[in-house]
Amino acid sequence: MGARQSRAGCKDKGPGRMGCLRRRQKLSAWDDALLSGRDPRALLKRGLRHISFSLVTKGMTDIPDFLWGLSEVQRLNLSHNQLRVLPPEVGRLSRLVVLNLCGNHLKSLPAEVSLLQGLKVLFLSMNRLSELPAELSACRSLEVLSVSHNRLSQLPASFADLSRLRKLNLSNNCFAHIPVCVFALKELDFLHVGSNRLENIAESIQCLGSLQIFIAENNSIHSFPRSLCLLASLEVLNLNNNDIQTLPEELYLLCRLARIAWNPMDKGLHISHNPLAKPLPELVEGGLEMLVSYLKDKKHS
């Protein structure tokens, strides 16, 4: 009888029903605010430097309209939902510095992203993007761009204008070559092109003189270009799981590569799981110093 009365109570309208809902399940702060009619601005998190708003893992298929009125937001996290469209109203959030859209179902971005002039960090990984809008190049403040795990095979030529870009993740896409516009990004210190369809690395890679981390693992790269050896700032060079048979004699020029690296997190030269010609496999096992010494002697013999 008591259980029947409890269920009946939950069917009543008004505040009593709200209280019953809260007892039956723990609501998130966002859900609680909307159900109780509170101003969503009350959920803004005001840190020392940024005003943040987060709607992570809400199962959303659409972005609630109230969001476009929160013009003061600087960090917005909409990751891991089911969003299929980013509305053009995103251009209203002109103070955005960080925008996280990872783990959705986006196939495109609106041209209005060009209005996000202060945007520095943009995460678009794990979506369904087959192209990026040329208008994104208008975000001249952009420093970090991650578009991994999408369906991209090219980038707009105008991306060469992203002169402040320092970190670019293009991994797990469909690139057959590194887009030409990437070689114009002189401030890049991190470039990840792993798990694509690359068969070579263009000589233009030498233009990226600030590069410290270059990851090109899990491709079909046939040769280790000598131009890579001109990137004296490299501390991590990952060419694991490719089709490389020989190494350039100029490898010694990469003086910041401290070791042959076996752990994915280590600095150094990652060259495992390649069909290296003899005696290179044994030399790699012996360490970077032995390998470099052999290549130097070979050059002068």
Side-chain angles (χ1 to χ4, degrees):
M1 182 65 179
R4 188 177 297 113
Q5 289 177 341
S6 177
R7 285 194 295 271
C10 288
K11 294 179 181 178
D12 293 337
K13 295 182 179 180
R17 184 185 181 191
M18 184 64 65
C20 186
L21 280 172
R22 289 195 178 111
R23 286 193 297 271
R24 285 169 56 188
Q25 59 181 350
K26 184 178 181 181
L27 298 176
S28 69
W30 177 66
D31 295 324
D32 188 51
L34 294 186
L35 288 171
S36 61
R38 288 168 54 201
D39 184 348
R41 279 186 171 81
L43 298 177
L44 291 173
K45 295 183 179 180
R46 301 178 184 273
L48 294 176
R49 298 181 59 186
H50 295 105
I51 299 175
S52 304
F53 195 81
S54 178
L55 296 175
V56 180
T57 320
K58 299 295 181 184
M60 296 186 305
T61 56
D62 297 293
I63 299 173
D65 289 339
F66 73 77
L67 181 59
W68 312 126
L70 305 180
S71 58
E72 62 266 59
V73 173
Q74 294 169 294
R75 300 171 67 101
L76 176 60
N77 191 343
L78 301 174
S79 63
H80 301 290
N81 282 288
Q82 299 176 35
L83 303 176
R84 297 182 180 277
V85 175
L86 181 65
E89 285 82 0
V90 70
R92 297 181 189 175
L93 305 180
S94 57
R95 299 184 185 180
L96 275 184
V97 176
V98 179
L99 176 57
N100 188 344
L101 294 165
C102 289
N104 281 285
H105 303 315
L106 300 175
K107 293 183 178 181
S108 62
L109 298 179
E112 285 76 7
V113 294
S114 63
L115 301 176
L116 306 179
Q117 297 292 306
L119 193 65
K120 292 185 178 181
V121 179
L122 178 57
F123 296 123
L124 294 166
S125 299
M126 295 180 286
N127 276 283
R128 300 176 181 178
L129 298 167
S130 57
E131 61 180 6
L132 294 175
E135 289 83 359
L136 186 57
S137 62
C139 300
R140 302 295 176 84
S141 298
L142 202 61
E143 297 179 4
V144 178
L145 175 61
S146 179
V147 292
S148 68
H149 295 85
N150 277 284
R151 303 169 181 177
L152 300 169
S153 59
Q154 58 185 354
L155 295 178
S158 60
F159 272 37
D161 296 332
L162 295 173
S163 58
R164 296 185 183 179
L165 200 64
R166 296 186 297 106
K167 302 186 188 304
L168 178 59
N169 189 342
L170 302 176
S171 66
N172 291 274
N173 276 285
C174 305
F175 292 100
H177 55 79
I178 299 175
V180 174
C181 61
V182 171
F183 302 127
L185 306 176
K186 307 299 184 184
E187 297 300 314
L188 272 190
D189 58 38
F190 174 95
L191 176 59
H192 194 340
V193 292
S195 298
N196 276 285
R197 301 173 181 175
L198 306 181
E199 294 187 1
N200 60 71
I201 299 172
E203 293 292 324
S204 300
I205 193 73
Q206 64 188 296
C207 298
L208 302 180
S210 299
L211 208 57
Q212 298 176 25
I213 298 175
F214 179 51
I215 303 172
E217 63 182 354
N218 300 319
N219 281 287
S220 300
I221 298 169
H222 300 306
S223 63
F224 188 130
R226 285 179 168 79
S227 54
L228 264 179
C229 297
L230 300 178
L231 300 180
S233 296
L234 276 182
E235 297 179 1
V236 176
L237 175 55
N238 190 335
L239 295 170
N240 285 347
N241 293 288
N242 276 286
D243 193 33
I244 297 171
Q245 298 184 38
T246 62
L247 298 176
E249 297 160 358
E250 294 82 0
L251 189 63
Y252 69 92
L253 295 174
L254 295 174
C255 54
R256 293 196 180 183
L257 290 184
R259 62 177 69 86
I260 298 292
W262 303 101
N263 188 310
M265 302 302 294
D266 285 348
K267 292 183 177 181
L269 173 62
H270 299 252
I271 197 67
S272 62
H273 303 290
N274 278 279
L276 295 173
K278 291 185 176 182
L280 293 178
E282 292 80 6
L283 295 168
V284 168
E285 291 284 347
L288 186 61
E289 186 176 348
M290 180 181 294
L291 176 62
V292 167
S293 178
Y294 167 80
L295 293 171
K296 274 187 176 181
D297 291 344
K298 183 179 178 182
K299 181 178 182 180
H300 294 103
S301 61

